[in-house]
Structure formats: structure tokens, C-alpha cells
Amino acid sequence: SWLRDSKNLWGRSLLAVAGGLLLALAFPAANFTIGLYVGLFLVLLSISKLGFFRAFWVGLLAGFSFYGLVLIWLTTYLGPIPWFALCLVEGLFFALSMSVISLVWRWLQSRDMGSAKNPIIALAIAVIYTAREYITGHFPFGGLPWARVGLSQVDNYMAKWVWAIDISGLSVLLVFLTAWATI
């Protein structure tokens, strides 16, 4: 609770970077499954109760660290400048989605919805996050579809759900569960 009420942008920025790196470690290169949940928890915690621009900054740091680690293999083939540019563009998309999530979260938090409030907030977060994955899966240059939350779970028990709910559905499910734990 003390972190959610904290106005310290530096602490939230460090949390966001740690969350982005842990989120990246969940993908098959490192296959650290728990990194998905802890990383996403830290990223969401770092943007809670922030306004648009502060959430954008924190989201940019989280997104850049996430894509920077997920896409590090690009430096072997293209060098550091295209890697940096792609990480920056994808980080901007990530930052925009974190800003929207923060605003929607704050708005829904102020509404009286009874016991359905937390699941509704978690679902809204999951849908916005997955919509961002869809957009970055198609833009720029044909997209970057392999950095989706659902694709991070190829070697564990959650992969068994893909036949029924698809990769996007798995992303919604995983982000929903983590967001619900964050609220």
C-alpha cells in the first residue's frame, strides 16, 4: 500500500525497469516462468494511481527494458542502432498503453461497482494490454508478434489453454490474473 500511495517517480521507475526485465525473462530464451507474473505485477504496481504523463514515463522505461532484453538477439544481425530504434518505438507503444491503463484504472477505481469492481478493473487492464500486443503485432514493418504474453508460456502448463482460447486469449487470462492480484 505504501508504494501505491508513493509519489516518488524514481522508485516507481526502478520498479518498472525491474518489472520489464523480469517480464522479458519469461520468454523461451530464459524460460523463467514466474518472471511473467512478478514482472507484470511490478510494472502494474509502478503505474498505479499515476496520471497520464507520469505513467507514460514509467511505462516507457518498462517497455524499453522489456523489449531491450527480448530483442537483444537483433544486435547480432543488425547492430545496436536498429535494435535501439525498434526498442524505442515498441517502448513508446508500451508507454502509451500503460498511460491508458493507469487512467482507466483510476477512473474505474472511483466508481461504485460493489464486489465486481476488482474483476472489472482487472479485465479492463487485460483487454488494454492485449490490444497493445495486437497493435504492435501489426505495426511497424509488419509488426512484432513474438513479444506477446501468451507466447511466453510455450513450455509450461499454461500452454495447454491455447487450443481453447488462442494466444490472445491466453494473454488476456494471464494479464487478468496478475492484474487482479495487483489491485
Side-chain angles (χ1 to χ4, degrees):
S1 179
W2 64 270
L3 182 60
R4 285 187 183 99
D5 296 328
S6 172
K7 302 292 184 205
N8 186 346
L9 195 58
W10 289 107
R12 287 176 179 259
S13 297
L14 288 174
L15 262 184
V17 169
L21 292 173
L22 282 169
L23 189 57
L25 290 176
F27 284 81
N31 207 21
F32 181 58
T33 302
I34 197 73
L36 169 77
Y37 304 103
V38 176
L40 196 53
F41 176 83
L42 292 177
V43 169
L44 292 175
L45 192 62
S46 70
I47 65 160
S48 69
K49 296 185 179 179
L50 290 182
F52 183 87
F53 293 106
R54 292 169 66 97
F56 188 88
W57 169 251
V58 171
L60 180 62
L61 293 174
F64 189 84
S65 62
F66 167 65
Y67 281 107
L69 192 54
V70 166
L71 300 176
I72 195 70
W73 59 272
L74 280 178
T75 59
T76 304
Y77 302 102
L78 301 175
I81 294 173
W83 165 82
F84 182 84
L86 183 60
C87 292
L88 185 60
V89 168
E90 296 296 330
L92 289 170
F93 280 116
F94 197 93
L96 183 61
S97 72
M98 290 299 115
S99 296
V100 171
I101 286 172
S102 179
L103 292 179
V104 169
W105 189 352
R106 286 175 54 187
W107 182 75
L108 288 173
Q109 195 72 25
S110 69
R111 301 291 170 243
D112 184 25
M113 294 179 271
S115 61
K117 181 186 280 190
N118 288 349
I120 289 171
I121 293 171
L123 183 62
I125 290 170
V127 168
I128 295 167
Y129 192 93
T130 307
R132 191 257 327 147
E133 288 184 339
Y134 179 80
I135 292 167
T136 57
H138 291 84
F139 182 81
F141 310 117
L144 193 65
W146 59 82
R148 296 165 64 187
V149 166
L151 293 175
S152 70
Q153 304 299 298
V154 296
D155 290 334
N156 66 33
Y157 59 92
M158 293 305 284
K160 294 178 174 131
W161 286 95
V162 172
W163 72 270
I165 59 176
D166 194 41
I167 296 295
S168 295
L170 185 57
S171 289
V172 169
L173 176 65
L174 295 171
V175 175
F176 172 79
L177 293 173
T178 308
W180 199 353
T182 307
I183 296 171

